[in-house]
Amino acid sequence: MTEFAYPWLVADIGGTNARFGLVTEPGGHPCHVAVLPVAEYDDMPAAVADYLAGHAGGLVPGAACFAIAGPVDGDLYHLTNAGWAGSVRDVGIRDITLLNDFEALALSLPHLGEADLVPLGGPAPPGPRPGSVKAVLGPGTGLGVAGLVPAGQDWVPVACEGGHVTPPVVTERETAVVAALRAEGATYLDAEELLSGPGLTRLHHGLALVDGVRADRLPAAEIVTRADADRLCGETLEVFCALLGSFAGNVALTLGARGGVYLGGGVLPRIVARVCASEFRARFEDAPPLGDYLRDIPTSLIVDAQPALTGAAAWLVQRSGRIVR
């Protein structure tokens, strides 16, 4: 295993924002965290240079790990919901590795404490089965999914594109929403098309179509703000949480995630109370042949502000020998 000089640069780069931080000592948490809007930079090297100059005092990192919201192929990346693409070698840091953003989020799970999580149902303490597979999923600009598999004293993240499975519709109303959106011209709808920030806007519009009412196409933030006073916005969040429960149950069954299912992403921390009061957990468990199996799996919502940075740092500690050179 390779030893790297500190500081380490860690990053969580999504379609909207790029979060950067430094790990300055063994066992240290990411510090000097800054959030840079992706749209304001032509590419990743420009954003990295700006962070190091403006927030890190010009320090030269001894190693780096970047979590990317999109497919990763060795040193190559492409942001799914933004224009950045290329080789991470262009950043100019010799010892650097790339992870999918939900791989990094998965790696953070063993390092999250009670204060970082909101329980959403499941068995009472001691909670998740030790040494079992964990899963993490979450709506943000897109819909991410990853697994975390125990391997001796280590953990191996499993990246996938689970957000692009078919929509997890169950009720007649949910089915009608998908049909209405398709009839209007949405020839392809996957889970991400409904379970994401943009998905909230699409879901709100679909409910309006089913009801035959006119409604402005509201951004996700405005739907959340209006939810208590506007019936359609409130129902949008209710349907969103229910669909998310069914989707999370499918992920748990697919990965055998008896070590717990965790919810992350940028949308849910803004609606914690609504998720807790929603049909999320009931829909999560609603698989009659395996209801007992799912009832034994705890679900939690991640409220830590920078879990993917923690996961990127954990990867450097655990797998520092696996470096793109």
Side-chain angles (χ1 to χ4, degrees), residues 269-286:
R270 304 176 186 178
I271 57 170
V272 174
R274 282 193 170 268
V275 179
C276 291
S278 74
E279 293 185 6
F280 169 83
R281 182 69 196 191
R283 289 279 290 266
F284 176 84
E285 297 177 1
D286 188 19

Side-chain angles (χ1 to χ4, degrees), residues 138-143 194-200 220-221 224 237 240-241 244 263-272 275 301-302:
T141 306
L143 176 61
L194 300 177
L195 294 174
S196 59
L200 268 175
V224 170
L237 293 185
F240 181 87
C241 292
L244 188 65
L263 306 184
V267 173
L268 300 180
R270 304 176 186 178
I271 57 170
V272 174
V275 179
L301 197 161
I302 301 170

Side-chain angles (χ1 to χ4, degrees), residues 287-300:
L290 287 169
D292 289 341
Y293 182 99
L294 290 169
R295 278 188 286 275
D296 197 39
I297 296 176
T299 48
S300 304

Side-chain angles (χ1 to χ4, degrees), residues 117-282:
L117 302 168
V118 174
L120 295 176
R129 297 189 180 199
S132 297
V133 174
K134 302 176 185 289
V136 62
L137 59 100
T141 306
L143 176 61
V145 181
L148 191 67
V149 179
Q153 298 300 310
D154 291 338
W155 292 92
V156 178
V158 179
C160 65
E161 294 297 332
H164 298 287
V165 299
T166 54
V169 295
V170 173
T171 68
E172 291 184 5
R173 188 156 174 80
E174 293 164 0
T175 301
V177 167
V178 170
L181 290 170
R182 285 176 173 158
E184 194 185 46
T187 56
Y188 177 76
L189 281 174
D190 59 17
E192 181 176 277
E193 294 286 300
L194 300 177
L195 294 174
S196 59
L200 268 175
T201 297
R202 195 170 289 110
L203 188 58
H204 177 267
H205 178 62
L207 287 166
L209 290 174
V210 171
D211 289 345
V213 300
R214 294 180 61 85
D216 295 334
R217 289 183 183 257
L218 302 178
E222 195 164 349
I223 292 170
V224 170
T225 300
R226 293 189 185 187
D228 291 332
D230 183 288
R231 181 199 64 80
L232 191 61
C233 290
E235 186 186 6
T236 299
L237 293 185
E238 290 173 7
V239 174
F240 181 87
C241 292
L243 289 169
L244 188 65
S246 293
F247 179 76
N250 290 340
V251 170
L253 292 172
T254 300
L255 292 177
R258 307 187 82 172
V261 173
Y262 298 78
L263 306 184
V267 173
L268 300 180
R270 304 176 186 178
I271 57 170
V272 174
R274 282 193 170 268
V275 179
C276 291
S278 74
E279 293 185 6
F280 169 83
R281 182 69 196 191

Side-chain angles (χ1 to χ4, degrees), residues 50-142:
D50 191 28
Y51 170 77
L52 291 175
H55 302 276
L59 290 172
V60 177
C65 180
F66 290 180
I68 303 292
V72 169
D73 182 10
D75 64 313
L76 302 177
Y77 64 90
H78 183 276
L79 285 180
T80 301
N81 293 297
W84 289 5
S87 170
V88 74
R89 299 176 192 275
D90 297 335
V91 168
I93 299 172
R94 180 172 176 266
D95 293 311
I96 188 168
T97 191
L98 282 175
L99 297 174
N100 171 268
D101 59 337
F102 268 75
E103 281 185 284
L105 194 55
L107 283 161
S108 78
L109 300 181
H111 304 280
L112 299 177
E114 290 185 8
D116 303 318
L117 302 168
V118 174
L120 295 176
R129 297 189 180 199
S132 297
V133 174
K134 302 176 185 289
V136 62
L137 59 100
T141 306

